[in-house]
Amino acid sequence: ENLTNVFLNAIQKRSLQEPMHGVPFIFYVDQGSANTSGLFRNLLQRLNVEFIAHATHNSRAKGQVEQANNLIETQYESTLTFKTINSLEELNADAAKWRVMFNETKIHSRTKRTRNAVWQSISTQQLRIAPPLELCKELLTTTPDERTVTGNLTISYAIKGYGSHDYDVRHIDGVYPKAKLKVVVNPYRAPCIDVLVINQHGEEIAYTCEPMQTD
């Protein structure tokens, strides 16, 4: 639960003061039990994030992460000697205040710019906007549902927060009335859905379908 909250907080846009946000294309981690748990892996799969776990006892594989930990220990944790912190909430609030200041003002030794300035050079192709937080939490336990194709080649699917819609699936190869299709919400285009189909090479292909417009 803690890992999930940290990850979801990291990908959401927090405020105008903190421009860093977005869903990564690759998540590179150690093989801790939380990182490799089924629920968290399911969340990454639904968000279309490639999961890579490096070999055990090889912390150097994430050198940038270790350096970030070192910065927090030496630049922030040392300041706690002169402060009174009474709760975890106060600690998180104080750490957030420091984080905003650090990313906005401290010059990175390699880039000669602040971390916020470097991040803002990201292109629109590289930035994947995170779905709303409530939908992200739903994705934790969301697995593909099976839907039966109707006689007019449509299926119905309900998404929490978006209601139930009908979807035209006639453009999907091999579809016929009463066929069974695996369906899951498309988190980046909800209430669009992805219909998952296995192709001739055994690969899973996702067809994105928009809700049918009715009056």
Side-chain angles (χ1 to χ4, degrees), residues 28-31 52-67:
Y28 189 58
V29 296
D30 58 47
Q31 298 198 39
I52 302 176
H54 67 67
T56 55
H57 309 301
N58 184 26
S59 59
R60 291 193 304 172
K62 305 190 309 300
Q64 288 180 313
V65 176
E66 302 301 329
Q67 175 61 16

Side-chain angles (χ1 to χ4, degrees), residues 15-41:
S15 69
L16 293 176
Q17 291 179 295
E18 297 188 89
M20 297 186 199
H21 68 287
V23 181
F25 289 86
I26 296 174
F27 196 65
Y28 189 58
V29 296
D30 58 47
Q31 298 198 39
S33 58
N35 294 335
T36 57
S37 67
L39 279 177
F40 188 69
R41 290 285 295 276

Side-chain angles (χ1 to χ4, degrees), residues 30 44 62 122 151 160 197:
D30 58 47
L44 296 184
K62 305 190 309 300
I122 192 171
K160 188 174 181 180
V197 178

Side-chain angles (χ1 to χ4, degrees), residues 163-178:
S164 180
H165 298 275
D166 291 330
Y167 300 85
D168 190 337
V169 294
R170 70 183 66 236
H171 63 288
I172 297 176
D173 292 338
V175 163
Y176 55 89
K178 295 187 178 181

Side-chain angles (χ1 to χ4, degrees), residues 22-190:
V23 181
F25 289 86
I26 296 174
F27 196 65
Y28 189 58
V29 296
D30 58 47
Q31 298 198 39
S33 58
N35 294 335
T36 57
S37 67
L39 279 177
F40 188 69
R41 290 285 295 276
N42 186 69
L43 171 66
L44 296 184
Q45 186 176 6
R46 298 280 75 80
L47 289 172
N48 196 26
V49 178
E50 182 181 358
F51 177 88
I52 302 176
H54 67 67
T56 55
H57 309 301
N58 184 26
S59 59
R60 291 193 304 172
K62 305 190 309 300
Q64 288 180 313
V65 176
E66 302 301 329
Q67 175 61 16
N69 290 341
N70 180 61
L71 282 173
I72 293 169
E73 290 169 5
T74 57
Q75 304 290 320
Y76 171 65
E77 290 181 8
S78 58
T79 68
L80 296 177
T81 305
F82 312 102
K83 299 174 182 176
T84 300
I85 302 291
N86 298 307
S87 66
L88 182 59
E89 289 72 21
E90 286 186 20
L91 179 62
N92 279 331
D94 190 68
K97 190 185 302 182
W98 174 84
R99 183 183 69 231
V100 170
M101 177 278 298
F102 189 87
N103 287 333
E104 182 61 32
T105 64
K106 296 297 182 180
I107 302 298
H108 194 287
S109 60
R110 175 169 54 82
T111 64
K112 310 304 179 187
R113 292 187 290 170
T114 65
R115 286 162 176 80
N116 282 354
V118 172
W119 190 91
Q120 289 180 21
S121 65
I122 192 171
S123 69
T124 53
Q125 290 77 22
Q126 294 169 324
L127 176 59
R128 289 200 298 186
I129 305 297
L133 185 58
E134 288 306 310
L135 178 55
C136 284
K137 291 179 178 178
E138 282 287 310
L139 295 177
L140 264 175
T141 54
T142 298
T143 55
D145 290 327
E146 197 172 75
R147 291 292 183 271
T148 302
V149 179
T150 65
N152 60 354
L153 299 182
T154 64
I155 57 173
S156 296
Y157 191 71
I159 303 170
K160 188 174 181 180
Y162 294 89
S164 180
H165 298 275
D166 291 330
Y167 300 85
D168 190 337
V169 294
R170 70 183 66 236
H171 63 288
I172 297 176
D173 292 338
V175 163
Y176 55 89
K178 295 187 178 181
K180 304 292 184 181
L181 296 178
K182 287 187 176 181
V183 180
V184 69
V185 61
N186 183 313
Y188 301 107
R189 294 177 56 186

